[in-house]
Amino acid sequence: MEQKWSIRLIRLAAIFALFGTYLGSHMSGSGSYEYRPIHAHILLVGWLSMFAWGIFYRSFKVKSQKLVTAHGWTAILGVFGLTLGMWFYNLNPFSFSRTFTTVFFIIGGTTLLISFALFIAVTFMVNQKEEMKN
């Protein structure tokens, strides 16, 4: 299970890395930095956090597979939700209501917060005996 989540998270991290660096290049070339907070969060939580979680799952065996799955899904939904919510909230490209953009942003951020809390729990569920063999 960890191997499956490892490659999923690393692949998504690579996609976020490409998108985040593209967005940075676009801002630099255009001279407009309106996407700066979105760019930063795409790279921090989309690229860096997802990559780190993927490497963790590649390196460690976790006792609770349900916890791994819960963390993986909340990570994915949280990263997408936070970055899309931030885009909707800051730029509102589709003229959504302010209530919708605020709620979307909050739900995405809260889901990501839950993901980080679940990851803390995951780190305490590492199979110590198997880890010592490596």
Side-chain angles (χ1 to χ4, degrees):
M1 178 66 72
E2 292 89 344
Q3 301 306 310
K4 183 169 38 170
W5 276 106
S6 174
I7 197 64
R8 279 181 187 161
L9 292 170
I10 290 171
R11 284 177 178 158
L12 280 170
I15 292 167
F16 275 104
L18 178 63
F19 188 68
T21 54
Y22 168 77
L23 195 56
S25 295
H26 170 73
M27 288 188 308
S28 180
S30 71
S32 172
Y33 295 97
E34 67 182 341
Y35 296 110
R36 188 177 50 215
I38 300 152
H39 160 74
H41 281 81
I42 286 171
L43 290 176
L44 287 173
V45 293
W47 157 242
L48 185 61
S49 294
M50 291 187 103
F51 185 79
W53 291 330
I55 294 301
F56 176 88
Y57 287 129
R58 178 66 60 181
S59 303
F60 295 97
K61 177 87 172 128
V62 180
K63 294 175 189 174
S64 174
Q65 300 305 296
K66 288 181 182 180
L67 190 56
V68 171
T69 300
H71 170 253
W73 282 116
T74 56
I76 291 168
L77 294 173
V79 170
F80 276 106
L82 177 75
T83 54
L84 279 175
M86 188 176 286
W87 181 48
F88 294 161
Y89 184 82
N90 288 327
L91 301 172
N92 203 358
F94 304 113
S95 300
F96 293 136
S97 74
R98 196 62 167 172
T99 302
F100 175 81
T101 60
T102 301
V103 169
F104 196 100
F105 192 6
I106 290 169
I107 290 172
T110 301
T111 305
L112 187 61
L113 181 63
I114 291 167
S115 176
F116 274 96
L118 288 173
F119 184 68
I120 291 169
V122 165
T123 65
F124 286 98
M125 299 293 289
V126 171
N127 190 340
Q128 296 286 331
K129 290 179 184 175
E130 198 168 296
E131 194 268 326
M132 287 183 193
K133 292 178 185 177
N134 293 332

